[in-house]
Amino acid sequence: MPKIVDGVYFIPGQDEMIPDSHTYVLGNLASKDLSLIDPGLNGKAKYKMESIKKMGIELKDIRRVIMTHTHFDHIGSLSEIREKIPEAELWIHILEAAPIESGDERTVYGMEMFQQMCQMQYGMKPGAFTFRVDRKLEGGETIEIGGMNWEVIHIPGHSMGSIALYYKPKKILIPGDVVYADYAIGRFDLHGADGRELKKSLLRLAELEVEILLPGHNRIVTKVSSDYILQTARQWEPYLG
Ligand SMILES: [Zn+2]
Ligand SMILES: [Zn+2]
């Protein structure tokens, strides 16, 4: 599991027919107060848990799972992770926490066709993504986790409860699926998505100083140019309404 900087660790997703989200582990290891960001696709918890253990991290030191958002490729393996780390809390933005608690899976699957495919491909049962959420994030709060202060920013558009985590001291941004490397952005045609909101969210992120971009998929970027997110927003503006 590569270290990005002290307190920020990266487990690359292993895409299959469906992409598997990257997983990040945050927190100073000595704090034993670590957070796992986005478990990933159904069936992908095992190798991710192995790479965490290879780092010398005890699974019980993972105190919480924080979701950038609750799409299937990010939350699919949550129940596998919770089997291994039953004490870990679950933190989700309030707009996606409510559906997760009530068993409304429209955001998880994004569209009906995809839900049917997952049911066929993975035998997913209706209700498989009903969880109690321990902390409902709103955006605007600073969360002190593992000896680090991360800012939570609500960035709807790709999904209604998408959040970014931002670590100012090292200018690190974890934006989920809102913005990727290579001027790519997340899709905005799924349940709860909204192009205009996505545009606003990109412009909000463009205000941040970002040197290290750790998105949900594809390349991570460790030397982000200063106007990268703004340029990305500008390129996509005509399509975002
Ligand atoms: Zn997504
Ligand atoms: Zn994704």
Side-chain angles (χ1 to χ4, degrees):
M1 174 164 73
K3 178 171 95 168
I4 307 292
V5 299
D6 281 334
V8 182
Y9 306 89
F10 167 48
I11 312 172
Q14 288 185 343
D15 296 348
E16 292 196 4
M17 215 175 73
I18 299 171
D20 171 29
S21 80
H22 296 327
T23 296
Y24 299 98
V25 175
L26 307 182
N28 295 315
L29 299 186
S31 72
K32 297 187 181 296
D33 176 32
L34 308 181
S35 301
L36 185 149
I37 315 303
D38 289 355
L41 183 63
N42 193 56
K44 292 296 177 183
K46 196 163 174 254
Y47 89 90
K48 286 178 174 169
M49 294 295 99
E50 306 270 287
S51 26
I52 288 173
K53 283 193 265 181
K54 268 189 212 144
M55 283 277 304
I57 297 173
E58 286 192 64
L59 292 182
K60 67 174 172 51
D61 293 347
I62 309 269
R63 300 295 175 87
R64 66 195 70 76
V65 173
I66 304 176
M67 301 301 311
T68 63
H69 63 301
T70 57
H71 281 160
F72 184 73
D73 56 323
H74 296 247
I75 201 172
S77 62
L78 176 61
S79 51
E80 298 155 49
I81 299 249
R82 298 200 104 187
E83 262 171 45
K84 295 271 188 300
I85 323 173
E87 302 297 309
E89 292 196 345
L90 178 60
W91 294 12
I92 303 180
H93 187 273
I94 189 163
L95 292 180
E96 289 181 34
I100 286 293
E101 289 197 315
S102 70
D104 174 351
E105 298 178 322
R106 284 176 296 174
T107 299
V108 172
Y109 293 108
M111 60 168 108
E112 236 168 80
M113 201 182 70
F114 186 64
Q115 177 161 13
Q116 285 161 10
M117 194 190 89
C118 291
Q119 282 167 352
M120 277 166 53
Q121 181 78 11
Y122 296 107
M124 299 313 301
K125 300 264 184 307
F129 293 102
T130 312
F131 296 99
R132 186 170 62 87
V133 178
D134 299 285
R135 180 162 175 185
K136 293 167 181 118
L137 301 165
E138 293 184 22
E141 58 270 79
T142 298
I143 50 177
E144 201 193 316
I145 47 175
M148 305 168 93
N149 287 323
W150 288 81
E151 290 171 37
V152 179
I153 305 164
H154 181 213
I155 44 168
H158 171 67
S159 72
M160 61 193 136
S162 282
I163 56 161
L165 294 171
Y166 180 59
Y167 185 58
K168 206 173 189 177
K170 300 266 188 220
K171 300 176 182 162
I172 300 173
L173 182 69
I174 300 178
D177 283 354
V178 168
V179 59
Y180 304 113
D182 307 312
Y183 304 97
I185 62 171
R187 56 191 291 180
F188 44 96
D189 59 335
L190 299 172
H191 175 79
D194 183 322
R196 270 186 219 171
E197 292 290 331
L198 184 54
K199 180 164 81 181
K200 279 193 242 165
S201 294
L202 288 166
L203 293 172
R204 169 74 187 87
L205 294 180
E207 293 168 11
L208 304 171
E209 281 185 65
V210 177
E211 256 173 39
I212 299 179
L213 180 68
L214 304 177
H217 302 279
N218 305 327
R219 278 190 322 117
I220 63 168
V221 190
T222 50
K223 287 193 184 77
V224 179
S225 60
S226 60
D227 60 349
Y228 172 72
I229 297 177
L230 184 62
Q231 284 204 24
T232 305
R234 293 277 176 253
Q235 284 190 21
W236 282 96
E237 216 166 5
Y239 307 97
L240 293 174

XYZ file of all heavy atoms in Angstrom, residues 148-212:
518
model
N -4.977 14.379 12.466
C -4.965 15.310 11.332
C -6.329 15.993 11.263
O -7.337 15.395 11.607
C -4.748 14.545 10.014
C -3.513 13.674 9.983
S -3.532 12.558 8.542
C -2.614 13.534 7.357
N -6.333 17.225 10.781
C -7.591 17.935 10.589
C -7.961 17.958 9.115
O -7.270 18.580 8.313
C -7.480 19.376 11.097
C -7.465 19.432 12.610
O -8.160 18.658 13.272
N -6.662 20.300 13.163
N -9.041 17.309 8.788
C -9.524 17.276 7.399
C -10.800 18.102 7.296
O -11.691 17.976 8.137
C -9.804 15.837 6.972
C -8.565 15.021 6.766
C -7.818 14.404 7.734
C -7.926 14.734 5.518
N -6.758 13.747 7.151
C -6.796 13.922 5.796
C -8.194 15.068 4.176
C -5.940 13.457 4.796
C -7.339 14.597 3.180
C -6.229 13.805 3.491
N -10.871 18.907 6.255
C -12.098 19.674 6.015
C -13.041 18.837 5.148
O -12.605 18.191 4.199
C -11.782 20.975 5.277
C -11.039 21.981 6.135
C -10.539 23.167 5.309
O -11.253 23.599 4.375
O -9.431 23.636 5.600
N -14.316 18.883 5.506
C -15.339 18.197 4.718
C -16.037 19.243 3.849
O -16.503 20.263 4.356
C -16.386 17.522 5.633
C -17.459 16.823 4.797
C -15.712 16.541 6.582
N -16.076 18.996 2.550
C -16.724 19.945 1.638
C -17.818 19.203 0.871
O -17.552 18.156 0.265
C -15.692 20.532 0.644
C -14.518 21.155 1.411
C -16.353 21.567 -0.263
C -13.291 21.409 0.556
N -19.024 19.721 0.942
C -20.131 19.092 0.219
C -20.043 19.497 -1.253
O -20.055 20.687 -1.570
C -21.466 19.548 0.836
C -22.662 18.944 0.172
N -23.857 19.608 0.038
C -22.844 17.721 -0.397
C -24.724 18.817 -0.584
N -24.128 17.673 -0.862
N -19.905 18.529 -2.127
C -19.764 18.824 -3.561
C -20.757 17.980 -4.369
O -20.384 17.018 -5.034
C -18.305 18.597 -4.051
C -17.716 17.283 -3.490
C -17.422 19.762 -3.669
C -16.406 16.860 -4.152
N -22.038 18.354 -4.314
C -23.048 17.586 -5.053
C -22.869 17.752 -6.563
O -22.146 18.632 -7.010
C -24.359 18.234 -4.591
C -23.984 19.629 -4.223
C -22.592 19.543 -3.661
N -23.568 16.914 -7.309
C -23.532 17.012 -8.772
C -23.326 15.646 -9.403
O -24.083 15.212 -10.254
N -22.281 14.953 -8.964
C -22.087 13.555 -9.402
C -23.094 12.672 -8.661
O -23.673 11.752 -9.229
C -20.651 13.142 -9.111
C -20.379 11.681 -9.322
N -20.422 11.094 -10.572
C -20.090 10.687 -8.446
C -20.154 9.793 -10.441
N -19.961 9.520 -9.177
N -23.265 12.956 -7.399
C -24.355 12.382 -6.607
C -24.741 13.461 -5.615
O -23.988 14.407 -5.408
C -23.906 11.111 -5.880
O -23.021 11.437 -4.823
N -25.900 13.323 -4.970
C -26.352 14.478 -4.172
C -25.572 14.665 -2.880
O -25.458 15.770 -2.375
C -27.852 14.405 -3.911
C -28.301 13.202 -3.133
S -30.091 13.064 -3.243
C -30.250 11.325 -3.535
N -25.011 13.589 -2.371
C -24.278 13.717 -1.109
C -22.786 13.494 -1.252
O -22.139 13.048 -0.307
N -22.233 13.822 -2.399
C -20.786 13.675 -2.573
C -20.048 14.655 -1.663
O -20.462 15.805 -1.515
C -20.375 13.973 -4.025
O -20.645 12.890 -4.886
N -18.971 14.171 -1.091
C -18.113 15.074 -0.311
C -16.673 14.967 -0.803
O -16.272 13.960 -1.398
C -18.114 14.755 1.211
C -17.705 13.305 1.478
C -19.461 15.090 1.826
C -17.246 13.062 2.910
N -15.932 16.041 -0.538
C -14.477 16.011 -0.696
C -13.874 16.125 0.693
O -14.456 16.746 1.590
C -14.014 17.177 -1.554
N -12.718 15.511 0.864
C -11.928 15.684 2.077
C -10.675 16.456 1.676
O -10.022 16.121 0.683
C -11.559 14.330 2.680
C -12.740 13.512 3.207
C -12.293 12.106 3.590
C -13.393 14.202 4.405
N -10.367 17.492 2.463
C -9.250 18.372 2.105
C -8.331 18.540 3.301
O -8.788 18.859 4.403
C -9.807 19.731 1.659
C -8.742 20.733 1.274
C -7.832 20.464 0.257
C -8.657 21.960 1.930
C -6.857 21.392 -0.099
C -7.691 22.894 1.582
C -6.790 22.602 0.564
O -5.833 23.535 0.223
N -7.057 18.297 3.058
C -6.050 18.434 4.107
C -5.131 19.594 3.751
O -4.229 19.463 2.927
C -5.254 17.124 4.236
C -4.275 17.127 5.380
C -4.698 17.335 6.691
C -2.922 16.914 5.146
C -3.800 17.330 7.739
C -2.006 16.900 6.196
C -2.455 17.115 7.482
O -1.561 17.118 8.532
N -5.443 20.709 4.354
C -4.779 21.963 3.988
C -3.255 21.948 4.174
O -2.531 22.417 3.284
C -5.396 23.105 4.807
C -5.278 24.438 4.140
C -6.066 25.474 4.931
C -6.148 26.765 4.157
N -6.971 27.741 4.887
N -2.748 21.410 5.288
C -1.291 21.494 5.490
C -0.479 20.914 4.340
O 0.613 21.386 4.050
C -1.057 20.697 6.783
C -2.354 20.778 7.511
C -3.426 20.816 6.450
N -1.003 19.896 3.680
C -0.262 19.293 2.559
C -0.986 19.486 1.230
O -0.620 18.891 0.224
C -0.054 17.787 2.807
C 0.713 17.452 4.054
C 2.190 17.286 3.746
C 2.921 16.756 4.970
N 4.214 17.369 5.176
N -2.052 20.287 1.245
C -2.808 20.592 0.027
C -3.272 19.320 -0.707
O -3.087 19.152 -1.915
C -1.980 21.466 -0.916
C -1.609 22.782 -0.254
C -0.705 23.607 -1.134
C -0.319 24.892 -0.400
N 0.850 25.537 -0.975
N -3.855 18.431 0.080
C -4.318 17.152 -0.474
C -5.835 17.174 -0.602
O -6.543 17.516 0.349
C -3.910 15.980 0.451
C -2.387 15.928 0.596
C -4.459 14.653 -0.090
C -1.915 14.904 1.611
N -6.324 16.793 -1.769
C -7.765 16.752 -2.007
C -8.201 15.340 -2.387
O -7.623 14.725 -3.287
C -8.150 17.724 -3.131
C -9.653 17.800 -3.431
C -10.416 18.461 -2.285
C -9.902 18.563 -4.739
N -9.217 14.859 -1.681
C -9.847 13.570 -2.006
C -11.266 13.898 -2.450
O -12.148 14.121 -1.617
C -9.840 12.639 -0.769
C -8.395 12.373 -0.318
C -10.568 11.323 -1.076
C -8.263 11.498 0.922
N -11.502 13.989 -3.762
C -12.798 14.494 -4.245
C -13.787 13.414 -4.676
O -14.774 13.745 -5.342
C -12.368 15.324 -5.461
C -11.217 14.520 -6.028
C -10.542 13.830 -4.866
N -13.537 12.149 -4.315
C -14.444 11.098 -4.784
C -14.448 11.054 -6.297
O -13.391 11.062 -6.932
N -15.643 11.040 -6.879
C -15.759 10.950 -8.342
C -16.090 12.296 -8.981
O -16.599 12.341 -10.100
C -16.866 9.958 -8.722
C -16.418 8.519 -8.568
O -15.225 8.275 -8.279
O -17.277 7.624 -8.732
N -15.844 13.391 -8.277
C -16.220 14.690 -8.851
C -15.199 15.175 -9.867
O -15.547 15.671 -10.931
C -16.478 15.710 -7.719
C -16.583 17.126 -8.264
C -17.766 15.325 -6.997
N -13.927 15.022 -9.555
C -12.891 15.414 -10.519
C -11.759 14.390 -10.471
O -11.391 13.904 -9.406
C -12.391 16.864 -10.254
C -11.818 17.029 -8.860
C -11.378 17.311 -11.318
N -11.285 14.035 -11.661
C -10.200 13.058 -11.794
C -8.973 13.725 -12.417
O -9.004 14.913 -12.743
C -10.621 11.919 -12.733
C -11.886 11.184 -12.381
C -13.000 11.283 -13.206
C -11.964 10.363 -11.266
C -14.162 10.582 -12.930
C -13.121 9.658 -10.975
C -14.213 9.766 -11.810
O -15.357 9.075 -11.538
N -7.956 12.912 -12.641
C -6.791 13.363 -13.416
C -7.222 13.584 -14.869
O -8.322 13.173 -15.277
C -5.694 12.306 -13.349
N -6.356 14.208 -15.620
C -6.524 14.351 -17.075
C -7.815 15.069 -17.478
O -8.433 14.729 -18.480
C -6.444 12.964 -17.756
C -5.177 12.226 -17.362
O -4.103 12.839 -17.416
O -5.264 11.042 -16.974
N -8.171 16.064 -16.697
C -9.338 16.919 -16.997
C -10.645 16.141 -17.114
O -11.559 16.550 -17.823
C -9.089 17.752 -18.273
C -7.844 18.588 -18.173
C -6.641 18.153 -18.715
C -7.862 19.796 -17.486
C -5.479 18.894 -18.581
C -6.701 20.555 -17.343
C -5.518 20.100 -17.895
O -4.380 20.833 -17.744
N -10.719 15.038 -16.421
C -11.959 14.247 -16.447
C -12.795 14.584 -15.209
O -12.260 14.968 -14.164
C -11.623 12.758 -16.459
N -14.097 14.452 -15.354
C -15.006 14.659 -14.222
C -15.963 13.470 -14.139
O -16.056 12.670 -15.074
C -15.821 15.977 -14.350
C -16.711 15.959 -15.602
C -14.885 17.179 -14.358
C -17.703 17.123 -15.672
N -16.667 13.383 -13.039
C -17.609 12.284 -12.845
C -18.847 12.463 -13.712
O -19.189 13.570 -14.118
N -19.516 11.365 -13.979
C -20.739 11.450 -14.780
C -21.846 12.143 -13.992
O -21.833 12.157 -12.769
C -21.163 10.073 -15.285
C -21.367 9.044 -14.197
C -21.511 7.654 -14.786
N -22.771 7.506 -15.526
C -23.127 6.383 -16.138
N -22.335 5.318 -16.091
N -24.274 6.308 -16.779
N -22.768 12.720 -14.732
C -23.813 13.488 -14.044
C -25.182 13.155 -14.616
O -26.060 14.000 -14.742
C -23.527 14.997 -14.115
C -23.090 15.487 -15.464
C -24.004 16.033 -16.347
C -21.759 15.388 -15.850
C -23.610 16.478 -17.596
C -21.352 15.832 -17.108
C -22.280 16.385 -17.975
N -25.353 11.871 -14.942
C -26.633 11.424 -15.500
C -27.316 10.375 -14.620
O -28.333 9.817 -15.004
C -26.387 10.817 -16.892
C -25.421 9.648 -16.851
O -24.594 9.585 -15.918
O -25.477 8.795 -17.758
N -26.743 10.098 -13.447
C -27.325 9.045 -12.612
C -28.335 9.638 -11.632
O -28.476 10.853 -11.539
C -26.213 8.319 -11.847
C -25.181 7.626 -12.744
C -24.016 7.116 -11.917
C -25.820 6.486 -13.537
N -28.999 8.770 -10.885
C -29.989 9.221 -9.894
C -29.365 10.235 -8.936
O -28.312 9.970 -8.354
C -30.526 8.026 -9.105
C -31.444 8.436 -8.000
N -32.753 8.786 -8.226
C -31.236 8.588 -6.668
C -33.309 9.125 -7.080
N -32.416 9.014 -6.116
N -29.999 11.370 -8.778
C -29.515 12.371 -7.815
C -28.398 13.256 -8.349
O -27.932 14.143 -7.641
N -27.977 13.014 -9.583
C -26.916 13.842 -10.168
C -27.516 15.109 -10.769
O -28.723 15.182 -11.028
C -26.168 13.057 -11.238
N -26.659 16.117 -10.975
C -27.146 17.389 -11.469
C -25.953 18.168 -12.030
O -25.034 18.534 -11.294
C -27.783 18.153 -10.292
C -28.397 19.475 -10.712
O -27.812 20.168 -11.569
O -29.457 19.824 -10.164
N -25.964 18.398 -13.337
C -24.851 19.071 -14.010
C -24.552 20.450 -13.445
O -23.396 20.819 -13.267
N -25.609 21.207 -13.160
C -25.376 22.569 -12.653
C -24.719 22.550 -11.283
O -23.843 23.359 -10.986
C -26.694 23.327 -12.558
C -26.979 24.040 -13.843
C -28.198 24.912 -13.693
N -28.928 24.806 -14.942
C -30.130 25.283 -15.154
N -30.769 25.883 -14.168
N -30.705 25.156 -16.315
N -25.189 21.621 -10.459
C -24.574 21.478 -9.133
C -23.116 21.056 -9.270
O -22.243 21.498 -8.526
C -25.323 20.424 -8.301
C -26.723 20.820 -7.886
C -26.712 21.937 -6.849
O -25.744 22.040 -6.078
O -27.682 22.718 -6.831
N -22.881 20.193 -10.242
C -21.511 19.712 -10.451
C -20.603 20.873 -10.851
O -19.470 20.980 -10.378
C -21.501 18.610 -11.521
C -20.162 17.931 -11.789
C -19.535 17.369 -10.520
C -20.321 16.813 -12.820
N -21.120 21.745 -11.693
C -20.334 22.914 -12.092
C -19.984 23.757 -10.862
O -18.841 24.144 -10.669
C -21.127 23.748 -13.105
C -20.365 24.983 -13.572
C -20.939 25.584 -14.825
C -22.140 26.453 -14.500
N -22.735 27.032 -15.728
N -20.987 24.009 -10.020
C -20.728 24.799 -8.808
C -19.701 24.108 -7.911
O -18.849 24.758 -7.317
C -22.037 24.995 -8.019
C -22.909 26.103 -8.565
C -24.006 26.425 -7.546
C -25.366 26.158 -8.153
N -26.461 26.084 -7.202
N -19.830 22.790 -7.819
C -18.910 22.045 -6.951
C -17.475 22.126 -7.480
O -16.527 22.287 -6.712
C -19.345 20.585 -6.841
O -20.582 20.505 -6.160
N -17.334 22.034 -8.803
C -15.990 22.139 -9.384
C -15.402 23.523 -9.111
O -14.227 23.654 -8.756
C -16.041 21.868 -10.899
C -16.300 20.406 -11.286
C -16.673 20.291 -12.759
C -15.083 19.531 -10.983
N -16.244 24.534 -9.248
C -15.750 25.892 -8.994
C -15.402 26.079 -7.515
O -14.458 26.781 -7.171
C -16.774 26.929 -9.462
C -16.969 26.962 -10.991
C -18.125 27.876 -11.371
C -15.688 27.392 -11.712
N -16.162 25.430 -6.658
C -15.852 25.468 -5.221
C -14.484 24.828 -4.967
O -13.656 25.379 -4.236
C -16.954 24.735 -4.447
C -16.676 24.460 -3.001
C -16.777 25.733 -2.168
N -16.340 25.530 -0.782
C -15.084 25.638 -0.374
N -14.122 25.913 -1.234
N -14.771 25.448 0.897
N -14.249 23.683 -5.588
C -12.961 23.000 -5.393
C -11.823 23.803 -6.011
O -10.683 23.755 -5.545
C -12.998 21.592 -6.003
C -13.949 20.592 -5.342
C -13.877 19.249 -6.058
C -13.628 20.417 -3.855
N -12.129 24.533 -7.081
C -11.094 25.323 -7.759
C -10.546 26.431 -6.851
O -9.458 26.944 -7.082
C -11.652 25.920 -9.046
N -11.307 26.783 -5.810
C -10.827 27.816 -4.881
C -9.724 27.286 -3.963
O -9.025 28.066 -3.323
C -11.979 28.294 -3.979
C -13.058 29.050 -4.720
C -14.306 29.235 -3.844
O -14.238 28.954 -2.624
O -15.338 29.642 -4.394
N -9.602 25.979 -3.870
C -8.632 25.388 -2.944
C -7.253 25.326 -3.588
O -7.132 25.183 -4.800
C -9.059 23.958 -2.575
C -10.443 23.768 -1.983
C -10.750 22.272 -1.899
C -10.533 24.399 -0.597
N -6.251 25.415 -2.750
C -4.903 25.124 -3.246
C -4.714 23.613 -3.176
O -4.751 23.037 -2.090
C -3.865 25.787 -2.347
C -3.696 27.267 -2.611
C -2.563 27.817 -1.756
O -1.406 27.417 -1.970
O -2.872 28.610 -0.860
N -4.521 23.010 -4.335
C -4.404 21.555 -4.371
C -3.092 21.166 -5.050
O -2.807 21.582 -6.166
C -5.586 20.911 -5.147
C -5.402 19.398 -5.248
C -6.910 21.232 -4.457
N -2.304 20.392 -4.348
C -1.061 19.884 -4.933
C -1.162 18.397 -5.216
O -0.576 17.896 -6.152
C 0.094 20.115 -3.950
C 0.975 21.273 -4.377
C 2.017 21.607 -3.322
O 2.568 20.673 -2.700
O 2.236 22.808 -3.122
N -1.924 17.714 -4.351
C -2.045 16.263 -4.492
C -3.523 15.924 -4.658
O -4.348 16.246 -3.803
C -1.462 15.544 -3.250
C 0.030 15.880 -3.113
C -1.681 14.033 -3.341
C 0.702 15.252 -1.901
